[in-house]
Amino acid sequence: MINTYQAVDQKKEDFRKYLERNGIIDALTKVLVGLYEEPEKPDSPIDYVKQFLGGPSDVDTEALRHENEELKRKVEELQARIDELTSAPAVSDQPSGVAEQTQQ
């Protein structure tokens, strides 16, 4: 039973060292201190933490999804136009009589 507790404690310690080595503990400490010192607490602490750590907020995500859908529609429209133009027979820029005269 004591070995089980030691193994769990060792696993926790290894994880703590991993977080410390990669700067996670410092980053989380800074964001939590910033939130604590904020004179007006934000309505959404999660968004505050995301913004502090550089993640997109929900508004950014929704705007990006909307933009992505619009761009997908535009790509489909343009691809259809390309297909339409490439399947149409080639048309000369010159009137038919002019093209025949220049060849003679």
Side-chain angles (χ1 to χ4, degrees), residues 47 50-51 54-61 64:
D47 285 342
K50 284 180 183 178
Q51 183 180 13
S57 69
D58 291 338
V59 173
D60 293 339
T61 305
L64 290 173

Side-chain angles (χ1 to χ4, degrees), residues 31-91:
V31 72
L32 292 174
V33 167
L35 182 59
Y36 175 77
E37 292 176 347
E38 192 70 33
E40 291 185 31
K41 303 298 183 230
D43 292 333
S44 175
I46 293 292
D47 285 342
Y48 179 88
V49 171
K50 284 180 183 178
Q51 183 180 13
F52 188 89
L53 295 175
S57 69
D58 291 338
V59 173
D60 293 339
T61 305
E62 285 304 313
L64 290 173
R65 281 190 184 124
H66 180 70
E67 181 182 9
N68 188 25
E69 290 301 318
E70 285 182 23
L71 292 173
K72 283 180 181 179
R73 278 194 299 276
K74 186 68 173 175
V75 165
E76 288 175 5
E77 289 173 13
L78 292 173
Q79 187 60 51
R81 182 71 175 137
I82 288 171
D83 293 343
E84 178 185 313
L85 291 173
T86 56
S87 67
V91 177

Side-chain angles (χ1 to χ4, degrees), residues 12 14-33 49 52-54:
K12 286 181 182 178
D14 290 345
F15 186 67
R16 187 194 63 73
K17 287 179 183 178
Y18 163 77
L19 294 175
E20 191 172 326
R21 261 193 326 268
N22 289 289
I24 303 299
I25 292 176
D26 287 339
L28 290 174
T29 301
K30 286 178 185 175
V31 72
L32 292 174
V33 167
V49 171
F52 188 89
L53 295 175

